[in-house]
Amino acid sequence: MEKVILVLNAGSSSLKFSLFALPAAGEMRPLAVGQVEGLGTAPRLKAKDGQGEVIADTRWSTAEVANPAQALQEIIGLLRSRFQENELAGVGHRVVHGGPDYSAPLLISAEALEKLDTFVPLAPLHQPHNLAAIRAVQQARPELAQVACFDTAFHRTQSMIADLYGLPYEYYERGIRRYGFHGLSYEYIAATLPAVAPEIANGRVVVAHLGSGASMCAIHNGRSVGSSMGFTALDGLMMGTRPGNMDPGIVLYLLQQEGMSAKQIEDLLYKRSGLLGLSGIGNDMRVLEASDSPRARLAIDLFTYRIARELGGLAAVLGGLDALVFTAGIGENSARIRQLVCEKARWLGVELDEAANDQNGSRISSADSRVSVWVVPTNEELMIARHTRKLLGL
Ligand code: AMP
């Protein structure tokens, strides 16, 4: 039986999965990709095979599929019936937080899971879902080896100076430091550059991961030296529904003067701000680009302004800039956003090739641009599958 790896990415209301075959030579390819979405509201399993053909589209009531464990049962059931000739050899998970110490993926054991539980307060909206998925697999298939791949791990190469906040030192020791996120995406890009852009792979590169969550990372010689996200995934760039970097005094003001509760502020900062809150229209960049509303324009202008501003900061961290890489939903697909950012980065030596930019890359800067600019699609699931395969010796 041919062995396969299942990759799981558990969110607050969805469980995404990819099933990877393990060829003896060459890159792993997904046999199936899908998700159970709408957990808690309108559960629905959607899945496609490796050729993009729909292999499942099923809806349930919230009573039938109530939680991630039941969603996982449905996914396993589907994969069992579709891929009877394959043997599931391991499961890789995206886990948002690996705390201050984990700089590499981790084989799950009872002790490891206990340790990961201690990071729940650091990422209360994400970590519990990630760990629930691990426990659900343990329940359904206790014999399966599981691997946790952390969104923070890639950034553990950063210096202490990059990690510190200007709070009393004991807060750093208590874990209040910059962790950085989207690490699996940045690690994938860093691993891909030697093949797609060898001339910059060992240089000073800023990667802009612009999706519904958005952040930027300064990479030198393939290692993370700075990132825009900090203690939580709220920091840095403005995002789909998050404001990004803002004066912490605003939180105090909302608490003390406006009488908002911590829960209300959390909701404001995670779900009602950013592109959605500013535009009043939505958080989907395609919708904002198509809109002629002045507030949609304002949201786009602030989005690109903040990226350009962060780019300047990260170029300073790197001591100069050789290349800028765009990735994730917006970064890979929006020529307009890339153009607006590159216009604001002309002072750094960025010159766009408009035709290449309109075609989404891969090199989108002009031949004599001092800083080269690239579009490189990210693949966090493949990064997790690679880690899982390696750690399990498959
Ligand atoms: P991600 O989180 O990486 O899946 O990215 C999701 C974001 O990518 C959403 O805000 C989408 O609106 C955005 N996106 C996807 N395709 C496009 C496109 N063609 N133009 C602009 N934004 C896009």
Side-chain angles (χ1 to χ4, degrees):
M1 281 222 279
E2 203 194 328
K3 289 184 172 166
V4 290
I5 287 175
L6 179 64
V7 170
L8 292 177
N9 180 356
S12 56
S13 65
S14 69
L15 183 60
K16 296 185 185 149
F17 70 93
S18 311
L19 189 72
F20 283 92
L22 310 179
E27 191 56 89
M28 285 179 278
R29 292 190 175 281
L31 294 172
V33 177
Q35 61 177 325
V36 175
E37 59 187 25
L39 282 170
T41 50
R44 178 178 184 183
L45 167 65
K46 290 198 287 191
K48 292 181 177 174
D49 66 13
Q51 285 70 50
E53 296 292 322
V54 174
I55 56 171
D57 189 352
T58 317
R59 295 164 195 264
W60 298 280
S61 71
T62 47
E64 287 166 312
V65 174
N67 52 45
Q70 284 171 317
L72 179 74
Q73 290 290 2
E74 295 297 339
I75 291 169
I76 289 179
L78 169 73
L79 298 178
R80 259 207 195 116
S81 67
R82 290 290 304 201
F83 302 98
Q84 285 164 6
E85 68 285 9
N86 294 114
E87 178 199 347
L88 186 53
V91 183
H93 295 261
R94 181 181 192 173
V95 175
V96 68
H97 224 297
D101 300 325
Y102 288 124
S103 57
L106 180 69
L107 184 65
I108 292 295
S109 61
E111 297 78 35
L113 206 46
E114 238 172 70
K115 177 84 178 166
L116 298 186
D117 275 331
T118 67
F119 304 143
V120 165
L122 296 175
L125 301 183
H126 298 97
Q127 192 88 342
H129 304 294
N130 305 153
L131 303 187
I134 294 175
R135 292 197 161 95
V137 173
Q138 281 182 332
Q139 232 178 1
R141 298 282 304 273
E143 77 289 358
L144 273 181
Q146 301 194 71
V147 174
C149 301
F150 305 110
D151 257 326
T152 50
F154 184 66
H155 301 298
R156 297 285 59 75
T157 50
Q158 289 182 18
S159 68
M160 186 176 175
I161 284 292
D163 271 4
L164 271 171
Y165 286 106
L167 290 165
Y169 188 76
E170 59 265 30
Y171 288 81
Y172 176 77
E173 291 181 308
R174 274 158 40 193
I176 300 187
R177 52 177 87 180
R178 299 180 66 91
Y179 292 100
F181 297 90
H182 288 139
L184 291 159
S185 173
Y186 294 126
E187 189 181 9
Y188 176 83
I189 300 291
T192 301
L193 288 184
V196 301
E199 64 268 45
I200 61 163
N202 294 319
R204 297 162 300 180
V205 180
V206 169
V207 181
H209 176 110
L210 309 178
S212 52
S215 71
M216 291 168 80
C217 181
I219 297 178
H220 194 198
N221 265 325
R223 308 176 108 218
S224 170
V225 294
S227 50
S228 65
M229 279 180 171
F231 177 62
T232 70
L234 281 176
D235 202 359
L237 303 180
M238 187 173 83
M239 306 173 216
T241 59
R242 291 170 252 170
N245 176 27
M246 62 178 218
D247 182 345
I250 296 172
V251 173
L252 295 177
Y253 180 87
L254 296 175
L255 274 169
Q256 295 167 341
Q257 306 303 321
E258 302 224 337
M260 284 176 77
S261 68
K263 203 76 205 150
Q264 286 170 324
I265 295 175
E266 177 183 283
D267 186 62
L268 174 72
L269 298 182
Y270 278 96
K271 299 191 178 141
R272 297 198 286 121
S273 298
L275 296 173
L276 170 69
L278 262 186
S279 70
I281 295 172
N283 63 346
D284 189 322
M285 188 56 87
R286 285 165 292 202
V287 174
L288 299 189
E289 283 186 24
S291 165
D292 52 13
S293 142
R295 294 240 313 264
R297 178 69 214 197
L298 196 66
I300 288 174
D301 285 349
L302 185 60
F303 185 72
T304 52
Y305 168 83
R306 296 289 284 267
I307 295 166
R309 192 172 156 155
E310 194 69 44
L311 178 62
L314 292 174
V317 167
L318 287 163
L321 188 65
D322 298 314
L324 170 62
V325 176
F326 289 96
T327 195
I330 299 170
E332 291 166 28
N333 296 299
S334 174
R336 172 142 169 237
I337 295 297
R338 292 192 301 259
Q339 187 203 357
L340 289 169
V341 171
C342 288
E343 268 170 19
K344 294 178 171 67
R346 283 183 77 90
W347 67 279
L348 275 165
V350 168
E351 228 180 86
L352 202 60
D353 174 333
E354 304 265 338
N357 185 42
D358 287 343
Q359 286 160 27
N360 294 330
S362 81
R363 182 178 163 138
I364 60 168
S365 50
S366 68
D368 48 4
S369 182
R370 205 176 53 68
V371 172
S372 63
V373 186
W374 306 78
V375 177
V376 180
T378 194
N379 195 337
E380 291 153 294
E381 287 73 24
L382 180 56
M383 200 67 235
I384 296 169
R386 283 181 189 164
H387 280 310
T388 304
R389 182 176 197 179
K390 192 166 165 213
L391 204 64
L392 300 183
L394 294 169

